Amino acid sequence: MCIRDRASPEQVARPLEEGWWLRLNAPYVDYLDVWWPDAEAGASGGFTHRALGGMRAGSKRELPWSIPATRLPDLRDTQPRWVWVRLAGDRSLSLAGGVSPLREMATVQQELNFADAGVVGMALLMAVVSLMMGIALPDRRFIAYAGYLVTLGLLFASSEGMPASLWLQDSPVAAVRLHNFSVCLHTAAAFGFARVLLDMERQFPRMNRVFQVVTLVCFAACALAIAGWYGRVARPLNLLWVVFAACIVPMCALAMRRNIQAWPGLVGYALYLMTGAVHFAKNLQWLPYTMVTQYSYAIGSILHIMAFFFALGWRVRHRERRALTLSLRHRARLAQLSLIHISEPTRQEAI
């Protein structure tokens, strides 16, 4: 792929101190190579090469950020310059980019970091609150939800390259394996949490057995992902997500039909289904890669974890109201029985 760049007379007259940087938005790219003609090579036709991409060590880049960027040579004239870009990876590839000053790129990177840290921090904070509520009530649904939130935070952080940027800059292979492990672990947590939330052991006993088996299989896939064999389970795992999304919403609708109090769970999984559909459509390039689709997964994650937290809180409220109603009924019966016992001696005295 070739990119043509031309400097304006104003840019030539007033060059930036930090120079101009080529910013490339290439999600899920393993290897990203950039070349441009080396002006100092003269007639030899030499080229300057920059190596980027997810499978390249971040410490060896000019900017160890999640945004692939490289500094362009000084543009001393208004003649067009050509830049060659080569992409390589195992998934569908797309490329967008432009030329920006360093300050503008730093602003964009800060916005991305703020959004990623916000989602991860919110998931972990709600996990701690859910764990404390699960222990205090006690309620195993909150404990299962806490585990689900921890795996979701790990998955989102690894998907956005936070471990690769913070701790694993020189170990891109380890960062990829961590992401694959988080996918398998979150899948197991999703099936396990669905079992507890919908009370499948009582309402859907057959599906409960299926979800139990799938949860165990996903835990076994975690070991394969750590060993570097994620490619052998990636397609079946993606198929599991499709089956999960296709089954869980009708099951929630059926549960709500049996008990109207289950409607918050249906809302949570409906949001989950829409977020997953947009995410898959973006990865398959059925939707354009814009800022809306870029942040769709983060926005959907926030909405659906809040919906699940509301669903759990609604269950607790319904349980407490039912317990209060039963307590009032028992109180009325005890009061009635006490009146009967008091009236019996009175009748005997009258006789």
Side-chain angles (χ1 to χ4, degrees):
M1 182 179 295
C2 299
I3 300 175
R4 189 180 182 185
D5 186 27
R6 181 192 294 270
S8 64
E10 291 79 7
Q11 294 172 352
V12 174
R14 297 180 180 179
L16 295 177
E17 295 181 0
E18 304 91 356
W20 291 93
W21 292 74
L22 178 63
R23 185 185 71 251
L24 300 172
N25 189 358
Y28 311 119
V29 171
D30 295 334
Y31 300 97
L32 180 60
D33 296 280
V34 182
W35 293 272
W36 62 77
D38 190 356
E40 298 180 356
S44 62
F47 286 84
T48 300
H49 173 245
R50 294 291 183 268
L52 305 170
M55 296 303 294
R56 300 281 179 48
S59 60
K60 297 181 180 179
R61 305 176 191 174
E62 295 176 89
L63 292 177
W65 295 351
S66 61
I67 301 177
T70 182
R71 183 173 179 175
L72 294 173
D74 295 334
L75 304 176
R76 300 185 180 89
D77 51 42
T78 58
Q79 296 298 320
R81 305 294 179 93
W82 291 93
V83 178
W84 287 264
V85 181
R86 183 179 67 182
L87 309 177
D90 296 332
R91 291 180 283 185
S92 59
L93 305 178
S94 62
L95 176 66
V99 178
S100 305
L102 184 61
R103 180 177 299 177
E104 180 180 340
M105 282 201 311
T107 301
V108 175
Q109 183 65 50
Q110 288 177 354
E111 293 176 354
L112 293 175
N113 292 341
F114 178 78
D116 298 340
V119 175
V120 175
M122 180 178 179
L124 296 180
L125 179 60
M126 292 185 67
V128 173
V129 174
S130 299
L131 181 61
M132 295 173 63
M133 292 184 65
I135 296 174
L137 287 174
D139 192 334
R140 63 171 185 167
R141 293 185 179 90
F142 281 97
I143 297 177
Y145 186 53
Y148 175 79
L149 289 175
V150 170
T151 59
L152 178 63
L154 178 62
L155 174 61
F156 189 84
S158 59
S159 299
E160 297 300 320
M162 293 180 67
S165 301
L166 299 176
W167 311 298
L168 301 174
Q169 292 186 359
D170 295 328
S171 302
V173 175
V176 172
R177 292 188 180 184
L178 177 61
H179 172 261
N180 297 338
F181 168 78
S182 64
V183 172
C184 299
L185 185 63
H186 180 64
T187 306
F191 278 90
F193 173 64
R195 288 183 53 245
V196 177
L197 181 65
L198 297 183
D199 195 11
M200 290 187 183
E201 188 175 357
R202 182 176 60 86
Q203 298 195 56
F204 309 100
R206 294 182 179 179
M207 291 301 297
N208 179 60
R209 298 188 188 97
V210 174
F211 274 48
Q212 282 180 330
V213 173
V214 172
T215 303
L216 295 176
V217 170
C218 292
F219 277 125
C222 292
L224 297 177
I226 294 176
W229 295 340
Y230 178 75
R232 301 181 181 182
V233 298
R235 291 184 179 180
L237 203 65
N238 291 329
L239 182 60
L240 277 178
W241 277 109
V242 175
V243 174
F244 177 80
C247 294
I248 198 66
V249 174
M251 291 173 65
C252 289
L254 184 59
M256 189 185 71
R257 188 175 180 180
R258 298 173 180 174
N259 183 9
I260 194 63
Q261 303 297 332
W263 68 266
L266 176 61
V267 174
Y269 276 115
L271 292 171
Y272 188 84
L273 176 60
M274 290 188 293
T275 302
V278 173
H279 187 65
F280 272 98
K282 179 185 67 174
N283 292 341
L284 295 175
Q285 297 183 351
W286 295 346
L287 293 176
Y289 198 86
T290 60
M291 292 299 293
V292 176
T293 56
Q294 170 71 18
Y295 288 104
S296 62
Y297 191 76
I299 297 173
S301 298
I302 293 174
L303 291 178
H304 100 267
I305 63 177
M306 291 180 64
F308 284 141
F309 193 78
F310 179 79
L312 295 176
W314 183 267
R315 282 179 175 271
V316 173
R317 180 175 179 270
H318 178 65
R319 185 180 66 183
E320 295 298 328
R321 291 182 63 181
R322 185 173 57 183
L324 179 60
T325 302
L326 292 175
S327 177
L328 292 176
R329 289 179 181 177
H330 288 306
R331 180 181 178 183
R333 290 179 182 178
L334 289 175
Q336 186 177 4
L337 290 175
S338 63
L339 288 175
I340 293 174
H341 287 301
I342 292 174
S343 61
E344 285 296 333
T346 305
R347 290 180 181 179
Q348 293 178 0
E349 292 175 359
I351 294 173

